[in-house]
Amino acid sequence: MRVSGGAVLRRTVTRNARWLVGGSTLIAGWQLCEVSVPILIGVIVDRAVSTGSFAAIGFWIAVLAALFVVLTTLYRLGARQLMFGIARESHLLRDELSARALDRDGIAAPAGRAEAFSAGELLSISTTDADNTSYVIDYVPRVVSAVVGTLACGIVLLSIDLILGALVLVGIPLVVLGLQVTAPMIARRVEAQQDEVGRTSGMATDLVSGLRPLQGIGATGAAADRYRRSSRASLSASLRAARIQSAHAGAAAAAGALAAMGVAVVAVYFALSGDMGVGALITVIGLAQYLIDPFAVLAIVPSWVAEARASANRVAQVLSAPSLRADPPTGPPQPEVSEGSRRAVVTVRCGAHDVLPGFRLDVAAGEFVAVVAPAARDAVALIDLLAGAPGAPAGTVAVGGRLLEDIPPGTRSAAIVVEHHDTHLFTGTLGSNILWGAESARGRDEGRPGDVRAALAASAAGEVISLYPNGFDHPVTERGASLSGGQRQRLALARALIAAPEVLVLHDPTTAVDAVTEQEIADGLRTVRGENGQTTIVVTSSPALLATADRVVLVVDGAVVAQGSHVDLVRARTDYREWVSR
């Protein structure tokens, strides 16, 4: 369903109406109190100071103190409600965006966009843009309170003198409307800026997470050049937006100061001519000074609206993006899955193309197969193909005789789980990260509590948990930054083992652990998966894992060039010995 940025903003306002109306009312009351301060000071001068009555001075000072108590209370209560609404809306948007980003079918490019969202862009939209969109809950009460304060100020000045009131009630709206001439240009430049910044932030995230494969194929220089170009484009867009925003802000500040000065000059003239008392003069000067703030708020509205609208448009693109369905491979026809290969649990077939040309792999039920791919490009391509990832090489993957795209997304994790080299942990606890895999195993025999203990032992993750006094309840920061690389790898492996899929695919699961732990994991992985008759594919160059495997498949230039046990390949091929001994 097509969603627009305007619809996202309207929904933001309507579903937070409770806090928005209450907060706006309280903030408007705060502005009325601010308007009352110079009025009360003028009253104090006329009724207390000029009379010399200490009792009157004490009374009116007490009234002024009470006004400040009310003023402060209204602001604090209003700000609290609005901040709650902002935090709530930001959370709801993140939930919705995360649900789309984690769609098992993937996200295709939305209408009007040439390419699908990268992982980095989705991260940027679900954080920065979600926050910017939720800030509309802050902008609405600011505008409402500025309008209320300006009207109240104009009415008070109107009661003092018609000319002063007209200057505020007629002159200020005209000046504000005049400043809106630049609004469309501000909106265009701010939207272009946020698009460029979001694209650059997403690219940075993707490059950092994919640094190892880039180093493997020698593409770090090209990636750096691409990021440099994107960063310069982002800088240029930011400078263009900053120029017009600063020019608009300068014009608004100058207009506000001139308006306040005009009111003050007229008031002084009336006071000198004897038409205005000292108390009234003080009130008018105070109100003129007060007008600068609400005037500035009303003048800067175009920038606020542009920022919120631009972010809402990006949020809407993700929310309305269609699911990415597995389309038939394009290009040369792909080989059919033969009846003989259907008896294999996993069958991989690729046609003739740049990556994995003519690649064929059959893995039997319960078999432990290790794949050695000296070129990181081949390893990543194979992992992406087995995961059914967008942009994977054209080919077919069958699990248990069913093509991967024909397996319903809700049951796919029971058939095959692919644990990538980049370990993904989430904010929470050790337990919430590890036992997440048990959810996909629920209802199957592999989901027994005893298997959790076996998985922890096989992955050496039990040692990680035992390091902390609170065990499973030990907190994990975002992306597992509070843990070492080896600890993250062991926890991710434990999670995959607990999920107990029919086929488990691992990509370099032991690169960050020591040799002793690596051997323990190799033995444990073979034991846990072998006892349950489950199939395991490991893309690795680890001698410990290779020696444990039933069969090793050597892939060079995208094609299978040799198969056999680790010992046989070490004896038969010099190049294999060099690759696995690095």
Side-chain angles (χ1 to χ4, degrees), residues 145-162:
S145 63
V147 171
V148 169
T150 302
L151 287 175
C153 188
I155 292 171
V156 172
L157 291 175
L158 198 64
S159 67
I160 296 175
D161 186 88
L162 291 176

Side-chain angles (χ1 to χ4, degrees), residues 67-85:
L67 177 62
F68 272 100
V69 170
V70 174
L71 180 152
T72 304
T73 303
L74 288 175
Y75 181 84
R76 289 174 63 87
L77 293 177
R80 180 175 298 179
Q81 288 204 28
L82 294 172
M83 289 306 298
F84 178 82

Side-chain angles (χ1 to χ4, degrees), residues 71-389:
L71 180 152
T72 304
T73 303
L74 288 175
Y75 181 84
R76 289 174 63 87
L77 293 177
R80 180 175 298 179
Q81 288 204 28
L82 294 172
M83 289 306 298
F84 178 82
I86 292 171
R88 177 179 180 270
E89 178 63 20
S90 181
H91 171 73
L92 292 175
L93 286 175
R94 284 195 178 94
D95 276 352
E96 293 173 353
L97 292 167
S98 297
R100 292 295 296 126
L102 296 175
D103 189 333
R104 293 178 183 272
D105 290 332
I107 304 178
R113 183 182 169 98
E115 56 185 15
F117 293 100
S118 67
E121 281 185 289
L122 290 173
L123 178 61
S124 175
I125 293 170
S126 63
T127 52
T128 303
D129 289 306
D131 285 340
N132 287 342
T133 302
S134 67
Y135 288 157
V136 73
I137 300 173
D138 181 52
Y139 301 155
V140 170
R142 284 176 181 265
V143 173
V144 170
S145 63
V147 171
V148 169
T150 302
L151 287 175
C153 188
I155 292 171
V156 172
L157 291 175
L158 198 64
S159 67
I160 296 175
D161 186 88
L162 291 176
I163 296 177
L164 292 175
L167 283 174
V168 174
L169 294 178
V170 178
I172 288 182
L174 290 176
V175 175
V176 170
L177 288 175
L179 289 170
Q180 306 308 306
V181 173
T182 58
M185 188 181 299
I186 291 175
R188 288 194 300 270
R189 292 196 179 183
V190 169
E191 188 163 356
Q193 172 207 5
Q194 290 188 261
D195 283 340
E196 290 292 347
V197 170
R199 190 176 296 111
T200 302
S201 299
M203 184 184 298
T205 302
D206 292 336
L207 291 178
V208 170
S209 61
L211 182 59
R212 188 173 183 273
L214 288 172
Q215 290 175 332
I217 62 176
T220 52
D225 289 339
R226 182 184 175 192
Y227 176 77
R228 190 177 296 109
R229 290 193 298 271
S230 179
S231 179
R232 286 173 178 170
S234 175
L235 175 61
S236 298
S238 298
L239 289 175
R240 287 194 297 271
R243 288 191 191 102
I244 190 169
Q245 284 179 302
S246 60
H248 180 88
L258 288 174
M261 186 175 65
V263 172
V265 168
V266 173
V268 170
Y269 171 79
F270 288 150
L272 292 176
S273 62
D275 295 331
M276 184 179 295
V278 177
L281 176 62
I282 291 174
T283 295
V284 172
I285 297 298
L287 291 176
Q289 178 67 29
Y290 160 82
L291 280 172
I292 294 177
D293 285 340
F295 182 87
V297 169
L298 294 175
I300 204 173
V301 165
S303 293
W304 289 350
V305 173
E307 290 179 4
R309 184 61 179 264
S311 289
N313 286 340
R314 286 160 57 80
V315 169
Q317 282 188 325
V318 176
L319 296 181
S320 60
S323 296
L324 181 66
R325 303 291 179 180
D327 297 323
T330 58
Q334 302 300 320
E336 296 290 334
V337 179
S338 65
E339 284 300 320
S341 63
R342 287 184 187 277
R343 291 192 291 270
V345 172
V346 181
T347 303
V348 182
R349 298 288 185 269
C350 289
H353 45 78
D354 292 340
V355 185
L356 303 180
F359 181 86
R360 299 171 63 90
L361 178 66
D362 296 317
V363 182
E367 191 177 13
F368 189 142
V369 173
V371 178
V372 176
R377 178 189 184 194
D378 295 339
V380 172
L382 178 58
I383 290 295
D384 287 345
L385 182 61
L386 290 168

Side-chain angles (χ1 to χ4, degrees), residues 471-509:
F472 281 101
D473 295 326
H474 181 75
V476 176
T477 58
E478 185 177 359
R479 300 176 67 88
S482 56
L483 303 171
S484 68
Q487 290 174 327
R488 291 196 296 270
Q489 279 191 331
R490 285 184 273 180
L491 294 174
L493 178 57
R495 180 174 60 197
L497 291 175
I498 292 171
E502 181 182 353
V503 178
L504 175 61
V505 181
L506 303 172
H507 183 197
D508 281 333

